[in-house]
Amino acid sequence: MGLMLWAQGDPVAIGGSATLAVIAVTVMLGFVDAQRLSERVLLGNLGIATGQQALLLGFAAACGEFVLRVGAAFA
Amino acid sequence: MNPFLVADCVGKAFAGRRVLSSATLRAVPGEVRAMLGRSGEGKSTLLRIAAGWLAPDTGLVRCGAESPLQLTAAALAQRGVFYVPDHGALSVALTVREQLAMLAERFPGGASPEDAATQMGVAHGLDERPPTLSGGEQRRADLAAVLVRAPRCLLADEPVRGIEPIDAEGLMRTFRVIARAGIAVVVTGHDVELLLDGSDHVTWVTSGTTYELGPPRIARGHEQFRAQYLGR
């Protein structure tokens, strides 16, 4: 919902192209999340602490999500 | 033999729904332990708690002679616990070779990536990313990672789910070989016959708690286990 508000301003009156953009972004975010999950397991088994993981993955995820949200806003 | 890893009297609830009330997992060196139970009874939750991936509401996780404080996943990994979740232990973003090399560099002393991959029959996929391999090959690549890491304890969540029977049997054989080398192995799953045939000890997870049924021969004859889980 937050993404819809951010992207369009009115989630009720959201247009067709924006809906497609939101769906695409949601799918991509899910993909990013799945990637993060598999990487977390590997990093965990490597004995890398959660804080370090957050630094490694959080930065990458934040960059990725910023790009996706900006993309959705201009879709 | 004393267990290497114990998740003791564990309780866990999600959004008000109690999944575990007082469950215990023991990983004993030299043994393959099968955790069986219906879906939603908390097998995976208990395994994740034992691996340090999830904090219990009550209870504690002890590893070796360490103090009974809640240990993080990283701390447990450094002590020799290797966790394989149901979606696999390897990242989808790197090649199998890269990931095995990372494990070998971080924890020297196990098999080389090439030897481990050859032993598990996935040498041809070393330069592939896991998603490009078949389900059985992915599970075998996970076990190649185990051979490289040479952990003291392996926790595998539903490792034989959704793969060909021949691959599943091969994995169970590998679990036994790993256990015979002195590693504590705990596996969950629903392939009852395969897990009973391939394990040394059966733990039944039901109604938020665990029952140590003992060797598979004893478990098969347990009246309640038969009536409420095996269904025959």
Side-chain angles (χ1 to χ4, degrees):
Chain A
M1 183 60 80
L3 176 63
M4 292 169 78
L5 286 170
W6 197 92
Q8 190 68 14
D10 184 356
V12 178
I14 191 167
S17 59
T19 302
L20 287 175
V22 167
I23 291 170
V25 168
T26 306
V27 169
M28 282 189 281
L29 287 177
F31 178 74
V32 169
D33 202 43
Q35 292 254 352
R36 245 182 340 200
L37 182 66
S38 78
E39 278 151 24
R40 275 193 64 212
V41 174
L42 175 66
L43 292 171
N45 280 325
L46 284 165
I48 295 170
T50 313
Q52 291 171 294
Q53 285 188 36
L55 277 177
L56 283 168
L57 299 177
F59 178 72
C63 291
E65 292 200 16
F66 175 76
V67 170
L68 291 172
R69 283 167 192 249
V70 170
F74 289 98
Chain B
M1 188 177 278
N2 288 333
F4 173 72
L5 178 72
V6 180
D8 208 8
C9 299
V10 167
K12 185 71 185 175
F14 295 103
R17 179 179 170 261
R18 183 151 290 284
V19 177
L20 297 172
S21 52
S22 181
T24 295
L25 175 149
R26 289 187 180 85
V28 178
E31 285 188 4
V32 177
R33 292 194 156 214
M35 278 210 307
L36 300 173
R38 294 183 180 199
S39 295
E41 294 281 12
K43 300 183 299 294
S44 298
T45 301
L46 182 55
L47 212 62
R48 288 181 68 199
I49 288 170
W53 285 87
L54 191 64
D57 295 338
T58 56
L60 51 88
V61 177
R62 286 179 285 124
C63 184
E66 299 296 328
S67 60
L69 298 173
Q70 183 60 42
L71 295 161
T72 64
L76 286 165
Q78 285 164 5
R79 285 165 171 78
V81 175
F82 196 92
Y83 172 56
V84 181
D86 57 354
H87 56 78
L90 298 179
S91 167
V92 297
L94 301 170
T95 67
V96 174
R97 186 190 300 277
E98 287 168 333
Q99 299 184 62
L100 299 190
M102 288 164 79
L103 286 163
E105 188 177 342
R106 181 89 167 163
F107 302 109
S112 72
E114 290 75 18
D115 286 350
T118 302
Q119 196 174 331
M120 293 311 304
V122 286
H124 61 280
L126 267 173
D127 294 312
E128 305 286 334
R129 291 187 303 114
T132 65
L133 303 176
S134 72
E137 287 172 333
Q138 289 180 35
R139 297 290 83 80
R140 283 188 269 135
D142 286 339
L143 282 195
V146 172
L147 298 178
V148 171
R149 168 62 180 94
R152 297 184 67 189
C153 174
L154 170 62
L155 305 174
D157 193 12
E158 303 203 24
V160 297
R161 187 183 67 179
I163 61 174
E164 304 295 335
I166 192 166
D167 278 327
E169 284 177 15
L171 288 188
M172 286 307 296
R173 273 198 303 275
T174 306
F175 287 135
R176 291 189 74 84
V177 170
I178 289 171
R180 294 301 170 261
I183 296 167
V185 179
V186 179
V187 294
T188 70
H190 296 278
D191 303 77
V192 178
E193 286 306 321
L194 192 64
L195 290 171
L196 287 176
D197 288 344
S199 63
D200 302 296
H201 181 99
V202 177
T203 303
W204 182 24
V205 186
T206 184
S207 304
T209 190
T210 45
Y211 296 94
E212 302 297 343
L213 301 184
R217 177 178 51 83
I218 305 291
R220 285 180 202 273
H222 191 281
E223 197 174 323
Q224 268 184 299
F225 182 60
R226 287 171 63 95
Q228 293 179 26
Y229 181 68
L230 295 179
R232 55 191 155 80

